PDB file of all heavy atoms in Angstrom:
ATOM      1  N   TYR A  57     -41.757  11.669 -35.618  1.00 98.00           N
ATOM      2  CA  TYR A  57     -41.066  12.101 -36.826  1.00 98.00           C
ATOM      3  C   TYR A  57     -39.743  11.339 -36.883  1.00 98.00           C
ATOM      4  O   TYR A  57     -38.990  11.305 -35.918  1.00 98.00           O
ATOM      5  CB  TYR A  57     -40.831  13.611 -36.784  1.00 98.00           C
ATOM      6  CG  TYR A  57     -39.903  14.102 -37.867  1.00 98.00           C
ATOM      7  CD1 TYR A  57     -40.190  13.861 -39.214  1.00 98.00           C
ATOM      8  CD2 TYR A  57     -38.728  14.791 -37.557  1.00 98.00           C
ATOM      9  CE1 TYR A  57     -39.323  14.299 -40.210  1.00 98.00           C
ATOM     10  CE2 TYR A  57     -37.873  15.244 -38.550  1.00 98.00           C
ATOM     11  CZ  TYR A  57     -38.178  14.989 -39.870  1.00 98.00           C
ATOM     12  OH  TYR A  57     -37.315  15.417 -40.856  1.00 98.00           O
ATOM     13  N   LEU A  58     -39.477  10.749 -38.059  1.00 98.00           N
ATOM     14  CA  LEU A  58     -38.276   9.904 -38.215  1.00 98.00           C
ATOM     15  C   LEU A  58     -37.373  10.464 -39.296  1.00 98.00           C
ATOM     16  O   LEU A  58     -37.830  10.785 -40.398  1.00 98.00           O
ATOM     17  CB  LEU A  58     -38.721   8.472 -38.601  1.00 98.00           C
ATOM     18  CG  LEU A  58     -37.610   7.472 -38.938  1.00 98.00           C
ATOM     19  CD1 LEU A  58     -36.717   7.175 -37.718  1.00 98.00           C
ATOM     20  CD2 LEU A  58     -38.217   6.162 -39.477  1.00 98.00           C
ATOM     21  N   GLU A  59     -36.091  10.579 -38.964  1.00 98.00           N
ATOM     22  CA  GLU A  59     -35.051  10.835 -39.968  1.00 98.00           C
ATOM     23  C   GLU A  59     -34.159   9.614 -39.972  1.00 98.00           C
ATOM     24  O   GLU A  59     -33.630   9.228 -38.923  1.00 98.00           O
ATOM     25  CB  GLU A  59     -34.228  12.073 -39.606  1.00 98.00           C
ATOM     26  CG  GLU A  59     -35.040  13.361 -39.681  1.00 98.00           C
ATOM     27  CD  GLU A  59     -34.295  14.583 -39.113  1.00 98.00           C
ATOM     28  OE1 GLU A  59     -33.261  14.380 -38.426  1.00 98.00           O
ATOM     29  OE2 GLU A  59     -34.757  15.696 -39.314  1.00 98.00           O
ATOM     30  N   HIS A  60     -34.009   8.981 -41.158  1.00 98.00           N
ATOM     31  CA  HIS A  60     -33.213   7.753 -41.209  1.00 98.00           C
ATOM     32  C   HIS A  60     -32.539   7.616 -42.556  1.00 98.00           C
ATOM     33  O   HIS A  60     -33.214   7.534 -43.578  1.00 98.00           O
ATOM     34  CB  HIS A  60     -34.098   6.522 -40.948  1.00 98.00           C
ATOM     35  CG  HIS A  60     -33.343   5.233 -41.034  1.00 98.00           C
ATOM     36  ND1 HIS A  60     -33.441   4.373 -42.096  1.00 98.00           N
ATOM     37  CD2 HIS A  60     -32.441   4.679 -40.182  1.00 98.00           C
ATOM     38  CE1 HIS A  60     -32.656   3.327 -41.894  1.00 98.00           C
ATOM     39  NE2 HIS A  60     -32.036   3.484 -40.741  1.00 98.00           N
ATOM     40  N   ASP A  61     -31.220   7.614 -42.555  1.00 97.00           N
ATOM     41  CA  ASP A  61     -30.460   7.281 -43.753  1.00 97.00           C
ATOM     42  C   ASP A  61     -30.945   8.080 -44.976  1.00 97.00           C
ATOM     43  O   ASP A  61     -31.186   7.525 -46.049  1.00 97.00           O
ATOM     44  CB  ASP A  61     -30.607   5.762 -44.008  1.00 97.00           C
ATOM     45  CG  ASP A  61     -29.543   5.242 -44.970  1.00 97.00           C
ATOM     46  OD1 ASP A  61     -28.505   5.924 -45.145  1.00 97.00           O
ATOM     47  OD2 ASP A  61     -29.759   4.175 -45.568  1.00 97.00           O
ATOM     48  N   GLY A  62     -31.136   9.368 -44.796  1.00 96.00           N
ATOM     49  CA  GLY A  62     -31.556  10.246 -45.909  1.00 96.00           C
ATOM     50  C   GLY A  62     -33.057  10.425 -46.022  1.00 96.00           C
ATOM     51  O   GLY A  62     -33.517  11.319 -46.741  1.00 96.00           O
ATOM     52  N   ALA A  63     -33.843   9.591 -45.366  1.00 98.00           N
ATOM     53  CA  ALA A  63     -35.316   9.708 -45.452  1.00 98.00           C
ATOM     54  C   ALA A  63     -35.835  10.558 -44.308  1.00 98.00           C
ATOM     55  O   ALA A  63     -35.333  10.479 -43.181  1.00 98.00           O
ATOM     56  CB  ALA A  63     -35.950   8.319 -45.414  1.00 98.00           C
ATOM     57  N   ARG A  64     -36.843  11.365 -44.600  1.00 98.00           N
ATOM     58  CA  ARG A  64     -37.535  12.162 -43.571  1.00 98.00           C
ATOM     59  C   ARG A  64     -38.993  11.757 -43.613  1.00 98.00           C
ATOM     60  O   ARG A  64     -39.647  11.920 -44.644  1.00 98.00           O
ATOM     61  CB  ARG A  64     -37.401  13.664 -43.865  1.00 98.00           C
ATOM     62  CG  ARG A  64     -35.985  14.168 -43.959  1.00 98.00           C
ATOM     63  CD  ARG A  64     -35.894  15.522 -44.670  1.00 98.00           C
ATOM     64  NE  ARG A  64     -36.473  16.604 -43.890  1.00 98.00           N
ATOM     65  CZ  ARG A  64     -37.540  17.303 -44.268  1.00 98.00           C
ATOM     66  NH1 ARG A  64     -38.143  17.052 -45.408  1.00 98.00           N
ATOM     67  NH2 ARG A  64     -38.011  18.277 -43.509  1.00 98.00           N
ATOM     68  N   ILE A  65     -39.509  11.231 -42.508  1.00 98.00           N
ATOM     69  CA  ILE A  65     -40.866  10.660 -42.538  1.00 98.00           C
ATOM     70  C   ILE A  65     -41.669  11.140 -41.333  1.00 98.00           C
ATOM     71  O   ILE A  65     -41.241  10.977 -40.192  1.00 98.00           O
ATOM     72  CB  ILE A  65     -40.847   9.110 -42.516  1.00 98.00           C
ATOM     73  CG1 ILE A  65     -39.774   8.570 -43.472  1.00 98.00           C
ATOM     74  CG2 ILE A  65     -42.201   8.527 -42.908  1.00 98.00           C
ATOM     75  CD1 ILE A  65     -38.737   7.786 -42.792  1.00 98.00           C
ATOM     76  N   TRP A  66     -42.830  11.714 -41.593  1.00 98.00           N
ATOM     77  CA  TRP A  66     -43.787  12.044 -40.542  1.00 98.00           C
ATOM     78  C   TRP A  66     -45.060  11.283 -40.812  1.00 98.00           C
ATOM     79  O   TRP A  66     -45.187  10.640 -41.842  1.00 98.00           O
ATOM     80  CB  TRP A  66     -43.997  13.557 -40.441  1.00 98.00           C
ATOM     81  CG  TRP A  66     -44.474  14.210 -41.691  1.00 98.00           C
ATOM     82  CD1 TRP A  66     -45.756  14.530 -42.009  1.00 98.00           C
ATOM     83  CD2 TRP A  66     -43.683  14.655 -42.797  1.00 98.00           C
ATOM     84  NE1 TRP A  66     -45.807  15.125 -43.232  1.00 98.00           N
ATOM     85  CE2 TRP A  66     -44.552  15.217 -43.758  1.00 98.00           C
ATOM     86  CE3 TRP A  66     -42.299  14.614 -43.084  1.00 98.00           C
ATOM     87  CZ2 TRP A  66     -44.114  15.750 -44.956  1.00 98.00           C
ATOM     88  CZ3 TRP A  66     -41.859  15.146 -44.288  1.00 98.00           C
ATOM     89  CH2 TRP A  66     -42.754  15.704 -45.202  1.00 98.00           C
ATOM     90  N   GLU A  67     -45.997  11.333 -39.892  1.00 97.00           N
ATOM     91  CA  GLU A  67     -47.225  10.517 -39.888  1.00 97.00           C
ATOM     92  C   GLU A  67     -46.852   9.077 -39.488  1.00 97.00           C
ATOM     93  O   GLU A  67     -46.079   8.398 -40.167  1.00 97.00           O
ATOM     94  CB  GLU A  67     -47.947  10.503 -41.242  1.00 97.00           C
ATOM     95  CG  GLU A  67     -48.731  11.779 -41.519  1.00 97.00           C
ATOM     96  CD  GLU A  67     -49.947  11.937 -40.604  1.00 97.00           C
ATOM     97  OE1 GLU A  67     -50.565  10.941 -40.241  1.00 97.00           O
ATOM     98  OE2 GLU A  67     -50.258  13.080 -40.236  1.00 97.00           O
ATOM     99  N   SER A  68     -47.485   8.635 -38.403  1.00 98.00           N
ATOM    100  CA  SER A  68     -47.107   7.320 -37.855  1.00 98.00           C
ATOM    101  C   SER A  68     -47.309   6.181 -38.867  1.00 98.00           C
ATOM    102  O   SER A  68     -46.508   5.246 -38.931  1.00 98.00           O
ATOM    103  CB  SER A  68     -47.882   7.048 -36.573  1.00 98.00           C
ATOM    104  OG  SER A  68     -49.277   7.168 -36.791  1.00 98.00           O
TER     105      SER A  68
END
Side-chain angles (χ1 to χ4, degrees):
Y57 169 57
L58 174 65
E59 293 171 347
H60 178 255
D61 197 19
R64 302 162 69 244
I65 316 119
W66 58 97
E67 283 291 326
S68 55

